[in-house]
């Protein structure tokens, strides 16, 4: 079995700040379950640089803190990451919480104030529409 995993959760420095969101629980869970990781960063796949200006979903479109519309890059990267998931035969996805790409249950509200609202990131939504099971790191402990 294979799982698509937000690359930042596995320690890849692809986060907007240039860092990562390494979560040792993810790699340990994958190892214990015998699941191969397929790391992806939809934002990088979409052509965005590392580091990059923070972005949030503003009125349905992904926009940077400076007001630049980066929605097409996010959607292009999500489509390419979906292609990777299909090619690799991934059955589920472990995604970075709150991300405008990967948030599964909530995302930032588009005001760049740190407030969160229920919702899915662009990539998480696309995966859901295509039948993938979506998980966040905190879900793994209960499986």
């Amino acid at each position: 079995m294979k799982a698509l995993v937000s690359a930042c959760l596995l320690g890849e420095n692809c986060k907007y700040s240039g860092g990562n969101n390494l979560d040792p629980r993810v790699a340990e869970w994958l190892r214990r379950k015998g699941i191969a990781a397929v790391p992806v960063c939809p934002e990088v796949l979409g052509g965005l640089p590392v580091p990059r200006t923070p972005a949030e979903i503003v009125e349905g479109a992904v926009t940077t803190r400076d007001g630049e519309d980066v929605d097409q890059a996010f959607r292009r990267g999500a489509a390419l990451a979906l292609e990777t998931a299909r090619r690799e035969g991934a059955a589920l996805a472990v995604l970075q919480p709150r991300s405008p790409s990967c948030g599964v249950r909530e995302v930032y509200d588009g005001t760049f104030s740190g407030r969160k609202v229920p919702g899915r990131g662009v990539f998480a939504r696309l995966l859901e529409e295509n039948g993938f099971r979506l998980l966040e790191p905190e879900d793994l402990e209960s499986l």
Side-chain angles (χ1 to χ4, degrees), residues 3 12-13 19 26-27 30 39 44 59 61 89 97 105 116 126 130 133:
E12 186 173 320
N13 291 330
V26 174
L30 292 167
V44 171
E59 297 179 12
R105 287 188 280 282
K116 295 167 273 208
L126 183 62
N130 283 274
R133 182 175 181 194

Side-chain angles (χ1 to χ4, degrees), residues 9-121:
L9 291 173
L10 297 174
E12 186 173 320
N13 291 330
C14 55
K15 188 175 169 178
Y16 76 91
S17 64
N20 63 66
N21 293 312
L22 178 63
D23 191 327
R25 295 177 299 178
V26 174
E28 175 59 22
W29 182 81
L30 292 167
R31 186 194 62 73
R32 272 195 342 265
K33 297 291 187 179
I35 299 172
V38 179
V40 295
C41 178
E43 296 169 26
V44 171
L45 285 172
L48 295 171
V50 177
R52 57 189 168 275
T53 304
E56 294 184 5
I57 299 172
V58 179
E59 297 179 12
V62 186
T63 307
T64 69
R65 181 180 55 213
D66 301 332
E68 179 186 356
D69 182 342
V70 290
D71 195 68
Q72 287 304 101
F74 271 70
R75 294 185 191 283
R76 180 174 49 251
L80 291 169
L82 174 62
E83 286 178 21
T84 299
R86 287 180 171 152
R87 183 177 61 249
E88 294 290 331
L92 59 96
V94 181
L95 302 176
Q96 170 58 35
R98 299 173 302 280
S99 159
S101 287
C102 297
V104 172
R105 287 188 280 282
E106 62 184 8
V107 293
Y108 290 104
D109 71 356
T111 63
F112 298 91
S113 64
R115 285 192 302 254
K116 295 167 273 208
V117 295
R120 296 210 192 286

